[in-house]
Amino acid sequence: MSWLPMLGLTALPHLGGLYGGYVTRKQVKTWYTTLNKPSWRPPNAAFPIVWTTLYTGMGYGSYLVWKECGGFTEDAVVPLGFYGLQLALNWAWTPIFFGAHKLKMALIEIVMLTGAVGATMVSWYPVNRTASLLLTPYLAWLCLATSLNYCIWRDNPDEDEKEE
């Protein structure tokens, strides 16, 4: 059963992704279509493909760190703690943006998420370089997503006020 932790830790991020997909599904076809969005935004069909890939990479990276630290040990507290923080922030963004329609709050949240991913990468690097590098596409995507969130917030100034 040595493959069980690898499978479980690799699958874990997808749980939030499934919930996020549930929250997003209706909103992408209704509310999201009413927003002003930049011309350079990726097509909607790209998002599930990208997130499946990113969740798999971060999950497998967490397994590598977990394995290198000997499981949930004292050595794993910082690297897996940062990982847990960024994962919670990741899972929270979709309900804030798509569920609550809070564009400014989502922007603040995704900036914190991006910082948490950077901290996770720094904490993982001395433990397992490959695990840290597996987060590189995620960090790059978050830079794009943060820019997109900013542009949507900037170009839809009344959206946050409508919801209050």
Side-chain angles (χ1 to χ4, degrees):
M1 293 292 199
S2 62
W3 53 269
L4 205 52
M6 190 246 326
L7 186 61
L9 289 169
T10 301
L12 177 63
H14 293 276
L15 296 177
L18 290 171
Y19 175 70
Y22 173 77
V23 171
T24 303
R25 181 176 303 201
K26 180 182 174 193
Q27 299 300 320
V28 165
K29 296 175 185 170
T30 56
W31 170 75
Y32 190 66
T33 61
T34 68
L35 298 176
N36 297 314
K37 296 173 283 298
S39 60
W40 49 263
R41 78 172 173 85
N44 291 344
F47 288 86
I49 297 164
V50 168
W51 279 110
T52 299
T53 304
L54 297 176
Y55 282 140
T56 302
M58 76 173 77
Y60 185 69
S62 74
Y63 164 72
L64 294 175
V65 170
W66 175 85
K67 182 179 171 188
E68 196 73 33
C69 290
F72 295 110
T73 63
E74 190 174 326
D75 291 340
V77 169
V78 171
L80 293 181
F82 276 128
Y83 175 70
L85 171 63
Q86 73 80 29
L87 194 57
L89 288 168
N90 178 296
W91 290 349
W93 184 87
T94 299
I96 295 168
F97 187 91
F98 283 102
H101 305 168
K102 298 293 186 185
L103 306 179
K104 184 178 181 180
M105 179 67 80
L107 177 59
I108 293 166
E109 201 274 355
I110 201 170
V111 168
M112 294 183 342
L113 168 58
T114 304
V117 171
T120 302
M121 291 176 74
V122 168
S123 73
W124 282 13
Y125 195 84
V127 176
N128 188 297
R129 183 178 178 198
T130 300
S132 182
L133 294 175
L134 280 169
L135 296 181
T136 304
Y138 178 31
L139 187 62
W141 181 260
L142 284 175
C143 290
L144 175 81
T146 302
S147 300
L148 180 59
N149 192 151
Y150 169 76
C151 289
I152 291 172
W153 169 71
R154 180 196 64 201
D155 297 342
N156 297 275
D158 295 335
E159 192 60 37
D160 279 325
E161 295 166 14
K162 286 182 201 172
E163 303 299 324
E164 292 177 7

